Amino acid sequence: MLLRGRPRALGAAALLLLLLLLIGFFLFGGDPDCELGSEREARRGEGGGGDPGSVPGSPTPRVPSDGRLRPRGAAAFDGVPPADPGGHNRSDCVPPPPPPKCELLQVAIVCAGHNSSRDVVTLVKSLLFYRKNPLHLHLVTDAVARNILEMLFHTWMVPAVQISFYNADELKPQVSWIPNRHYSGLYGLMKLVLPTALPPDLARVIVLDTDVTFASDIAELWALFAHFSDKQAIGLVENQSDWYLGNLWRNHRPWPALGRGFNTGVILLRLDRLRQAGWEQMWKLTATRELLTLPATSLADQDIFNAVIKEHPWLVQPLPCIWNVQLSDHTLAERCYSEASDLKVIHWNSPKKLRVKNKHVESFRNLYLTFLEYDGNLLRRELFGCPCPPPPGAEQLQQALAQLEEQDSCFEFRQQQLTVHRVHITFLPHKPPPTQPHDVTLVAQLSMERLQMLEALCRHWPGPMSLALYLTDAEAQQFLRFVETSAVLSARQDVAYHVMYREGSLYPINQLRNVALAQALTPYVFLSDIDFLPAHSLYDYLRASIEQLELGGRRKAALVVPAFETLHYRFRFPSSKAELLALLDAGSLYTFRHHEWPQGHAPTDYARWREAQAPYRVRWVADYEPYVVVPRDCPRYDPRFVGFGWNKVAHIIELDAQEYELLVLPEAFTIHLPHAPSLDITRFRSNPTYRDCLRALKDEFHQDLSRHYGAAALKYLTALQLPRGPT
């Protein structure tokens, strides 16, 4: 039961609250119709009055008499003529209607190098997470970024996403004459040439820096094109620092700008209007004139965009600040919004990136980290009710998957064989050494639980390496931190790391090997495994052996590196063959898998190797699986073999079928280190169905050999009839 006087008291309180809200709304710059400049311009007429430094045609803001900041989405900061005088930064405005559901949204990004490519992936994840429209990404890249991103998007197979690449090197001459102090270098100027670089029939595009993170559907940003006047061609958010006011330090001379200027991390471009207005001549004339008195640009393209807008203010349509919340070193972004949840795009435009200071930075950082570690496989979803052509190869893949029988006891194996894994090649900066005619790259694959073996491998192998890692998105970031904090690993620029993202329950060992093999850049490769340490002298010895044996040309040879193992987690690694033989005789070392699977390496003929002074030839024998050095263009591994078993055996058969000589090197050796058994080998040992499926895969492999090599494959079929177990 309510007390008798409470209804009246509640009603009076509600009326008082409503009155306060209305007073606050009109005092602090609220605008009932929330018009953008182009709409009010039509009502006021061309050339209407405005504040000094304001954009012509923009509405005059309601500024409090004390000059203090408006509480939410304010257009300008304390006492400064606004570049956005119409209150366009208000986050409480009613948003324009979104574009049609299936309209193709155009997005342009400039990207160069390994680190920037990783940033693009995080940005694209945030775009894909919220988007409801098809996207066409226009990527202006250098050769490194194109190589990375072309492979990534090809294997990502995201529906309703088109990718076009543009060669940044071809655009460099258009901007190379501009001195630029910004860390982005020439690539930081390339947004200036997008109207001529992008296809001439492309009328509108959203341009994004690689260091932005979306917190909303990009279609809402695209919808702001509807508020452009007939002349406006560039949509920008006001710069959220005092940079262009020239008061950050003594003798600070920024480029000219309208009020606080604008930030170019997020741009809406009407390309058709810029072309009609003579944009190329416009920005070049402005830049040339300003460079007569200024030594260089400090903020790359942003300085030139602002100088042009200062001279031609009719070009710009100010955008709400929530579409580019800038976390620069001198950021005033906190004045843009009242709640972090209001924001649409976060711009990490400080060199400090995630370490920048802001009262909401923890919330922003969590959003960024969410997408950084988000499983990209989950973004392969179709757009509901929006028919789009499938990614290349998707239809064939779906047809092959549809033919699988889920009741098949080997369904897991067959599904894993057909899985297309996302692949991010050269995940970290990589500087390959100059090409040498006899150089060798060590090729291997690993997962997270073998990461601790990398440092020892780097100490033993001073030459180039190509390593494929099977990781989740979150594990990839852990790996990145592991390398950055390791003095050994961070010092090696000749090690290429390629991430294949985890999907499925079986380890795709041969697909990983093929990724690493395909990215090797030297003429020869040493096909190893991550749990082996090569002799300290092996790299130099292999190069000398390749030269002495005069490999190459028509002679096809696989150089066998004898494999040994220790059961001790700590032991003294032999520095020579003589020391290795002493450890072997003392029982501290064994020939590899001597106790479990001797036929895998017995054909190497270890007894002969003990006395050998020169390379000797051995013949292929069933189940032989040595570690070999071969030309880079050797046969690839058979991807049907996933998990444990027969993955190397099948490859050696393929080498033999293609008439590779097997030559054992007398001074070479590599040693296997002990570790906990993998999940796949545990399943093989404990699960009869697993072993049955492996036998089925072997039968299919031999059938394919017969079809490909005909009568020459008979010896492999005969060997299959012998009672042997897999390896």
Side-chain angles (χ1 to χ4, degrees), residues 112-133:
H114 302 87
N115 295 335
S116 184
S117 298
R118 291 201 311 275
D119 292 338
V120 165
V121 176
T122 307
L123 163 59
V124 170
K125 283 183 181 179
S126 70
L127 286 175
L128 295 177
F129 183 84
Y130 294 106
R131 64 98 180 226
K132 299 181 182 67
N133 285 68

Side-chain angles (χ1 to χ4, degrees), residues 303-376:
D303 286 339
I304 298 176
F305 267 102
N306 275 290
V308 173
I309 291 169
K310 174 76 171 179
E311 189 174 354
H312 307 282
W314 50 268
L315 280 173
V316 71
Q317 166 65 66
L319 302 178
C321 71
I322 54 176
W323 284 106
N324 184 357
V325 176
Q326 303 143 39
L327 303 181
S328 61
D329 285 343
H330 307 285
T331 182
L332 301 172
E334 294 173 14
R335 303 181 180 185
C336 159
Y337 58 90
S338 58
E339 299 293 336
S341 58
D342 293 340
L343 307 185
K344 304 291 188 179
V345 175
I346 299 166
H347 187 185
W348 304 91
N349 59 324
S350 165
K352 298 176 183 176
K353 300 305 177 187
L354 300 187
R355 301 188 305 276
V356 72
K357 293 181 179 180
N358 178 284
K359 67 180 179 182
H360 292 120
V361 73
E362 196 64 31
S363 175
F364 301 156
R365 188 184 294 117
N366 288 339
L367 177 70
Y368 172 81
L369 293 176
T370 295
F371 290 118
L372 187 71
E373 301 184 353
Y374 190 80
D375 184 354

